[in-house]
Amino acid sequence: MPSKVSCLYVLTVVCWASALWYLSVSRPSSSYVGQASVPQRQVAKSKNVTFNNIRTRPLNPHSFDFLINEPKKCETNVPFLVILISTTHKEFDARQAIRETWGDENNFNGIRIVTLFLLGKNTDSVLNQMVEQESQIFHDIVVEDFIDSYHNLTLKTLMGMRWVATFCSKAKYVMKTDSDIFVNMDNLVYKLLKPTTKPRRRYFTGYVINGGPIRDVRSKWYMPRDLYPDSKYPPFCSGTGYVFSADVAELIYKTSLHTRLLHLEDVYVGLCLRKLGIHPFQNSGFNHWKMAYSLCRYRRVITVHQISPEEMHRIWNDMSSKKHLRC
Ligand SMILES: *[C@@H]1O[C@H](CO)[C@@H](O)[C@H](O)[C@H]1NC(C)=O
Ligand SMILES: *[C@@H]1O[C@H](CO)[C@@H](O)[C@H](O)[C@H]1NC(C)=O
């Protein structure tokens, strides 16, 4: 009975094919714990999955879409500095305080600064709509469609790197900071980055931390052993504020595609820098703790942490009105 034989043959082939397919799909995903967020659709769609191309497929594909974008911000006028500010939906006041103080893009005659707030997608649609309206007024918000949460902060930073690499690759420098940070822009622009000098490449600076994972589950910075078994992190810059030459944005973004995701964004960026062979420079102007205000003290810093929107205005007004005073 030839038809029976061919039936059996077809069945065997189908079985083998599905076993191979199953192995190839299940292997890589079981190796990244805690990453249920990685979309599987590329695998499912591809008719041509082999063991070979699994190894080269991104471990961390960052396949999110922009929900709000400002793709033309850099088109006509290339910025000297892009400031990426990690923020959450409810921080309307903090964003407004930054726009009205140190983040005011119009304060630097001749030197173009672009300020962008980074957000994910909120689970509350009302907040999403409010941010959408805010974006239509100010055009300084970028949103990708990952869920906005503390554990997804790394995705927010990578979105910023991706944005610079895609829409603003000719910028000279980039700063990544948070919405509760005061930035002394004069020191950052004129003393550190110096627009009149040749732009650096593969440059990265901030408050460098040499530390290791915290294994105490109660800590905000808890790192499970199975996610990161080593006892030391590579040197990394505190996420409260770090500055780099714009070429590094693309390097980090591309490296991240092949680097297993970790929720501590500054540690994660440090891991990418180590892979790239880029060493972060220590700069004592970046303060990642709170510091009581005094005019002379704040004149020496680049960043100060834990500043409320009210304090931001107060500090800004005081410093602006006392420009003529000497310390
Ligand atoms: C299979 O993958 C190879 C290499 O990625 C590609 O060149 C080829 O066109 C693919 N074949 C099919 C049928 O998709
Ligand atoms: C991070 O974002 C992804 C993609 O939207 C989502 O699936 C995941 O649940 C988020 N993780 C957390 C901890 O919120």
Side-chain angles (χ1 to χ4, degrees):
M1 301 284 254
S3 70
K4 227 181 204 171
V5 172
S6 58
C7 257
L8 209 65
Y9 177 73
V10 166
L11 206 69
T12 315
V13 168
V14 166
C15 275
W16 267 104
S18 35
L20 272 177
W21 181 83
Y22 175 76
L23 276 175
S24 62
V25 170
S26 62
R27 259 194 199 180
S29 57
S30 64
S31 71
Y32 32 91
V33 182
Q35 266 220 72
S37 65
V38 174
Q40 296 286 318
R41 61 171 182 249
Q42 283 137 309
V43 180
K45 265 187 200 160
S46 165
K47 291 208 169 81
N48 178 349
V49 178
T50 66
F51 286 108
N52 247 347
N53 64 25
I54 275 165
R55 247 174 262 124
T56 56
R57 203 187 67 212
L59 194 57
N60 173 32
H62 198 88
S63 42
F64 300 107
D65 294 325
F66 285 104
L67 295 179
I68 300 179
N69 196 2
E70 295 295 335
K72 300 209 163 123
K73 271 242 164 187
C74 296
E75 219 163 57
T76 47
N77 196 348
V78 175
F80 175 69
L81 172 66
V82 178
I83 304 181
L84 305 170
I85 304 162
S86 199
T87 173
T88 59
H89 288 70
K90 288 182 179 164
E91 293 173 320
F92 299 100
D93 292 350
R95 286 191 290 275
Q96 197 54 22
I98 290 173
R99 285 183 190 112
E100 289 168 4
T101 59
W102 62 262
D104 184 350
E105 296 172 346
N106 304 312
N107 256 328
F108 294 84
N109 18 332
I111 297 166
R112 186 158 144 78
I113 313 268
V114 160
T115 311
L116 279 180
F117 296 99
L118 309 178
L119 285 163
K121 182 176 65 178
N122 206 282
T123 45
D124 177 348
S125 62
V126 174
L127 283 175
N128 287 327
Q129 280 163 24
M130 287 168 76
V131 163
E132 174 92 49
Q133 285 168 7
E134 187 183 338
S135 147
Q136 281 167 13
I137 299 170
F138 299 104
H139 291 285
D140 59 3
I141 294 178
V142 174
V143 182
E144 266 182 2
D145 65 353
F146 58 84
I147 302 287
D148 195 302
S149 68
Y150 178 72
H151 257 72
N152 271 343
L153 267 187
T154 305
L155 296 180
K156 221 176 254 183
T157 295
L158 293 177
M159 164 175 79
M161 302 285 178
R162 178 191 183 191
W163 190 89
V164 171
T166 315
F167 303 108
C168 206
S169 60
K170 297 225 167 65
K172 300 293 181 290
Y173 293 99
V174 182
M175 174 185 215
K176 189 258 134 191
T177 188
D178 293 339
S179 50
D180 60 347
I181 304 291
F182 174 80
V183 182
N184 183 327
M185 289 294 283
D186 284 343
N187 284 350
L188 172 62
V189 172
Y190 299 108
K191 294 227 174 97
L192 179 69
L193 300 178
K194 301 195 181 92
T196 53
T197 62
K198 188 167 171 274
R200 285 157 273 204
R201 314 245 329 145
R202 294 174 67 85
Y203 170 75
F204 201 100
T205 189
Y207 182 90
V208 178
I209 298 173
N210 286 288
I214 295 173
R215 306 296 189 193
D216 180 348
V217 290
R218 289 161 299 182
S219 167
K220 185 182 174 190
W221 297 286
Y222 168 63
M223 177 59 70
R225 217 173 278 275
D226 56 347
L227 266 185
Y228 193 89
D230 287 5
S231 62
K232 290 206 70 113
Y233 290 138
F236 64 95
C237 288
S238 161
T240 51
Y242 50 80
V243 173
F244 48 98
S245 53
D247 57 319
V248 175
E250 184 177 7
L251 294 175
I252 289 180
Y253 180 68
K254 288 199 167 154
T255 305
S256 79
L257 301 177
H258 303 283
T259 306
R260 179 175 164 183
L261 208 56
L262 284 185
H263 60 286
L264 301 178
E265 69 86 26
D266 43 13
V267 172
Y268 185 78
V269 168
L271 288 171
C272 293
L273 289 177
R274 180 170 65 185
K275 279 194 177 181
L276 289 161
I278 297 174
H279 302 282
F281 276 106
Q282 179 68 278
N283 183 310
S284 57
F286 292 87
N287 296 285
H288 73 141
W289 54 83
K290 195 171 168 71
M291 195 189 225
Y293 175 71
S294 93
L295 178 67
C296 294
R297 194 185 277 166
Y298 271 52
R299 270 196 188 162
R300 290 195 299 264
V301 303
I302 296 176
T303 61
V304 185
H305 191 195
Q306 288 180 13
I307 305 293
S308 71
E310 298 74 37
E311 284 173 295
M312 203 84 90
H313 277 115
R314 233 182 304 126
I315 291 168
W316 179 259
N317 292 340
D318 196 68
M319 291 185 86
S320 310
S321 66
K322 292 180 180 162
K323 282 217 151 105
H324 57 285
L325 288 186
R326 289 183 151 269
C327 276

